[in-house]
Amino acid sequence: MLIVQKYGGTSVGTLERIEEVSKRVIDTKKAGNDVVVVVSAMSGVTNKLIEYAEYFTKIAPASKDMDMLLSAGERVTSSLLSIALNEKGYEAVAMSGRAAGIITDNTHTKARILEIDCTNLKKALGEGKIVVVAGFQGVSVDGDVTTLGRGGSDLSAVALAGALHADLCEIYTDVDGVYTTDPRIEPKAKKLDKISYDEMLELASMGAKVLQNRSVELAKKLNVNLVTRSSFNNNEGTLITGEANMENSSMEQVLISGIALDKNQARVTLRGVVDKPGVAAAIFTKLAAKNINVDMIIQNTSHEDGTTSLGFTVPQNEMEAAREVVEGTARSVEIDSDVVKVSVVGVGMKSHSGIASLAFTTLADEGINIQMISTSEIKISMIVASKYGELAVRALHKAYKLDA
Amino acid sequence: MLIVQKYGGTSVGTLERIEEVSKRVIDTKKAGNDVVVVVSAMSGVTNKLIEYAEYFTKIAPASKDMDMLLSAGERVTSSLLSIALNEKGYEAVAMSGRAAGIITDNTHTKARILEIDCTNLKKALGEGKIVVVAGFQGVSVDGDVTTLGRGGSDLSAVALAGALHADLCEIYTDVDGVYTTDPRIEPKAKKLDKISYDEMLELASMGAKVLQNRSVELAKKLNVNLVTRSSFNNNEGTLITGEANMENSSMEQVLISGIALDKNQARVTLRGVVDKPGVAAAIFTKLAAKNINVDMIIQNTSHEDGTTSLGFTVPQNEMEAAREVVEGTARSVEIDSDVVKVSVVGVGMKSHSGIASLAFTTLADEGINIQMISTSEIKISMIVASKYGELAVRALHKAYKLDA
């Protein structure tokens, strides 16, 4: 098998940790696999480099210089890991993003990968070498070093796995995998063996610490089998894969994968909006123009006075920007940031009825008022008052038998 | 003018120091010059990276990996300085060794510069930008990052100055310039305004902390006017230049530039060497084959028994290797590491007689026995017992009126 392994900042946080990682890489190689390793900077290094830059300038600039600065951390880790592997008798070679052929656009500090030139990688793998790639970085079409933004090393790993048609892309962090819900809220939360790309994307608010959506989306697009697992133990992680693989492998299909809690929500309610064609469109076009991310949208049927009420949610830090946009478009504007979004996620929903009603009944039984509801094929999201958020998660986790 | 400025590790040792350097660069730019800056890693960084590598392997390997590791420090400094300059309203751009077109051979960790491709540099300078180059590094003909070995950032600066036909190459350190002798030995030592390349090379043992021979040799070859000065004050430094420039500028030519003391010497004496053609050649060929650097060589006239005695000096750390080579080639082998080499250096010697005899008389007056003597066009070197080394330096410094 060809396996891409990515080790995050805490996994390579100290020289001792890098030594541990080298052993894991060697075990993978010894098992007969070809191995490409992608590493982050040692934990804290990237933040320290940003602090350095901010000594000279208030806001670290999105420049070539900044990318040359930020890319240093991963170069150090990849060199050290390769040195450690060679010392143990396993031929390895460190590669920068440039050497690994990660070609990006010119958007410095948050470049997008355009293509992967696998020439160097394939040559080294063909020679039996372990390749250790500095994550988070690439080279622009203009030939300058670029970095990929937050979560960039995951993205490097997924992109390389896709380009090399790797059998597996393992993302090592300090977390065992994806759980049915946040274990700090519900200690009975279970680690999932498998989850589909789409479910993972919906669970983002819960899973963001494990893997960012950008990487999951790329994995889905490139059909990369992702495993997220811990580098601090030998527990099996969670496989994130296509729905087809999910169904083939489990005779009895799991209906619901998890319960997510998103605390970064604000609910905007417009009352007395004139209910004629184009009004809602105008409002949401203006919000989009300001780069405000609108999530749930609810429009009630019209009142007798020819007006309607319109509700939507935005991230809390975009709340005031949203207020400016909608001010004056309605009789009254109410913004409430004291809310959370609770979501029930599962591909099983598609083919089973009654999933949503169980959610509503469960919250009703707990005396929790549901302020807004939106549903998709694999998700039911509900806005409730903040104080009920954790209770709602626990109640739903139990109702859907996720702790079984 | 086009000026290349190189700032060493202590000059960019802290963020505050980098801020100070940015001001000096801006002053140079504001005075109407084009400026290329070459920076070292912040002091201590390179040693720390080596320590990191040595956590995994006893001896840091001379590998591609090692060069990717070691090159990180200079990349950080150059990015930060460029960010600082841009923040102050001066357009600047950081360049890695690769971007600056420093092309080297494949000898990792001590690569030799093959050529400079000035395309990027000239383009940036043409746009009025200050270019900040990461010193100590280049890119091999195979496309891998290389580093240039000890003193590598000086070498980067001199090579760039030569390729760009810069008017001046300023080497900033924490020392004011080149002195007539080590001020810790003779407090009356004077800073020299000017010195020729050849004198500087001969003073190496004294000047090594200021500038390594490798950089001086390259400056001589490329005809680069070097100035070594301190970044911690505004004192004029020492100009290191061709002899032609020396003579043109000073009506009254200085005879002697300085007195050097080299403590890293061991004297090897072979007695009873058969005096026939090829014997000495055989010995020195064998020493060369073992990469032993023989410095001074003295052969006496033959004794009546057909044997001769042969003396030479080697660096102390090559003393035992030398012993192995010469064992058995003579009746007796004596090695004495309790010696030092004192040298009187000056281009004026070429055209003045009596310079050498003053040295011998001076040491005789102090009761110092001279064990070996060797002379070149611009240098007289004498081996004396270690205990007399500093006394000899002070006496000679006074005799040649260097404290005047």
Side-chain angles (χ1 to χ4, degrees), chain A residues 40-205:
Chain A
S40 297
M42 294 167 78
S43 53
V45 167
T46 305
N47 286 341
K48 196 166 140 197
L49 292 173
I50 294 174
E51 267 173 43
Y52 281 4
E54 290 182 344
Y55 177 88
F56 300 107
T57 173
K58 272 201 197 97
I59 298 158
S63 64
K64 286 185 198 181
D65 296 340
M66 199 62 202
D67 273 348
M68 186 145 121
L69 179 69
L70 292 180
S71 60
E74 284 75 14
R75 295 170 72 97
V76 167
T77 325
S78 59
S79 315
L80 290 175
L81 179 55
S82 179
I83 287 168
L85 290 167
N86 277 295
E87 174 68 15
K88 290 184 161 58
Y90 287 81
E91 255 201 293
V93 61
M95 290 192 187
S96 65
R98 177 194 303 271
I102 300 178
I103 297 156
T104 74
D105 63 15
N106 289 318
T107 318
H108 284 283
T109 72
K110 40 191 173 191
R112 299 190 75 87
I113 298 175
L114 298 178
E115 57 169 318
I116 309 279
D117 173 354
C118 294
T119 316
N120 283 351
L121 282 167
K122 283 185 175 161
K123 183 165 176 289
L125 289 172
E127 291 164 359
K129 286 180 185 157
I130 299 167
V131 183
V132 187
V133 179
F136 179 61
Q137 60 184 268
V139 60
S140 75
V141 284
D142 288 355
D144 299 308
V145 177
T146 51
T147 62
L148 306 175
R150 204 151 276 281
S153 289
D154 289 344
L155 208 69
S156 303
V158 172
L160 291 175
L164 291 167
H165 303 291
D167 299 280
L168 206 57
C169 180
E170 297 181 324
I171 308 286
Y172 284 92
T173 68
D174 49 3
V175 176
D176 274 0
V178 183
Y179 279 76
T180 49
T181 196
D182 186 338
R184 289 170 306 181
I185 296 174
E186 173 50 86
K188 289 182 187 163
K190 292 256 180 309
K191 195 187 66 198
L192 293 161
D193 293 333
K194 280 192 184 184
I195 187 171
S196 74
Y197 299 121
D198 290 332
E199 287 173 310
M200 185 68 197
L201 291 170
E202 295 291 6
L203 286 173
S205 64

Side-chain angles (χ1 to χ4, degrees), chain B residues 282-299:
Chain B
I283 291 172
F284 290 112
T285 304
K286 274 196 252 175
L287 288 167
K290 296 273 181 190
N291 283 315
I292 297 167
N293 291 295
V294 175
D295 181 10
M296 296 166 69
I297 301 177
I298 311 282
Q299 183 173 351

Side-chain angles (χ1 to χ4, degrees), chain B residues 132-363:
Chain B
V132 187
V133 179
F136 179 61
Q137 58 183 268
V139 59
S140 75
V141 285
D142 288 354
D144 298 308
V145 178
T146 50
T147 63
L148 306 174
R150 206 151 274 280
S153 290
D154 290 343
L155 207 70
S156 303
V158 172
L160 291 175
L164 292 166
H165 302 290
D167 299 280
L168 207 58
C169 179
E170 296 180 325
I171 307 287
Y172 285 93
T173 68
D174 49 3
V175 176
D176 274 0
V178 183
Y179 280 75
T180 49
T181 196
D182 187 338
R184 289 169 307 181
I185 296 174
E186 174 51 85
K188 290 182 186 162
K190 293 256 180 305
K191 194 187 66 200
L192 294 161
D193 293 333
K194 280 191 184 187
I195 187 171
S196 73
Y197 299 121
D198 289 334
E199 288 173 311
M200 185 68 197
L201 290 170
E202 295 291 7
L203 286 171
S205 65
M206 170 180 113
K209 278 172 42 214
V210 178
L211 207 51
Q212 289 208 309
N213 273 0
R214 197 175 162 205
S215 298
V216 179
E217 279 163 8
L218 187 65
K220 183 183 175 187
K221 185 175 170 188
L222 302 177
N223 212 16
V224 169
N225 284 317
L226 271 182
V227 170
T228 146
R229 56 187 297 190
S230 169
S231 70
F232 292 81
N233 60 45
N234 285 313
N235 298 347
E236 295 288 331
T238 300
L239 174 66
I240 305 162
T241 186
E243 264 178 55
N245 297 330
M246 300 290 292
E247 288 169 302
N248 290 343
S249 57
S250 53
M251 286 292 287
E252 195 167 7
Q253 198 184 334
V254 179
L255 294 181
I256 298 301
S257 291
I259 315 292
L261 178 64
D262 182 352
K263 297 180 174 174
N264 180 31
Q265 292 281 321
R267 180 173 55 80
V268 181
T269 310
L270 310 183
R271 289 205 179 78
V273 179
V274 180
D275 192 12
K276 60 178 185 187
V279 170
I283 291 172
F284 290 112
T285 304
K286 274 196 252 175
L287 288 167
K290 296 273 181 190
N291 283 315
I292 297 167
N293 291 295
V294 175
D295 181 10
M296 296 166 69
I297 301 177
I298 311 282
Q299 183 173 351
N300 278 359
T301 52
S302 190
H303 297 292
E304 287 164 358
D305 65 357
T307 67
T308 184
S309 63
L310 191 65
F312 57 88
T313 61
V314 294
Q316 286 186 2
N317 56 355
E318 295 174 9
M319 187 168 78
E320 290 310 318
R323 187 195 297 274
E324 280 180 27
V325 170
V326 298
E327 210 73 72
T329 61
R331 200 170 53 231
S332 78
V333 173
E334 183 193 315
I335 299 193
D336 183 1
S337 63
D338 198 19
V339 297
V340 295
K341 180 171 74 168
V342 182
S343 303
V344 179
V345 175
V347 288
M349 253 178 234
K350 287 186 188 176
S351 47
H352 284 73
S353 53
I355 302 273
S357 64
L358 177 58
F360 307 149
T361 312
T362 303
L363 296 197

Side-chain angles (χ1 to χ4, degrees), chain B residues 46-106:
Chain B
T46 305
N47 286 341
K48 197 167 137 196
L49 292 173
I50 293 173
E51 266 173 43
Y52 281 5
E54 290 180 345
Y55 176 88
F56 300 105
T57 171
K58 270 202 198 95
I59 299 158
S63 64
K64 286 186 198 180
D65 296 339
M66 199 64 202
D67 274 348
M68 184 146 124
L69 178 69
L70 292 179
S71 60
E74 284 74 14
R75 295 170 72 99
V76 167
T77 326
S78 60
S79 314
L80 289 175
L81 179 56
S82 179
I83 287 168
L85 291 166
N86 278 296
E87 174 68 14
K88 290 183 160 59
Y90 288 81
E91 255 201 292
V93 60
M95 289 191 188
S96 65
R98 176 194 303 269
I102 300 177
I103 297 155
T104 76
D105 63 14
N106 289 319

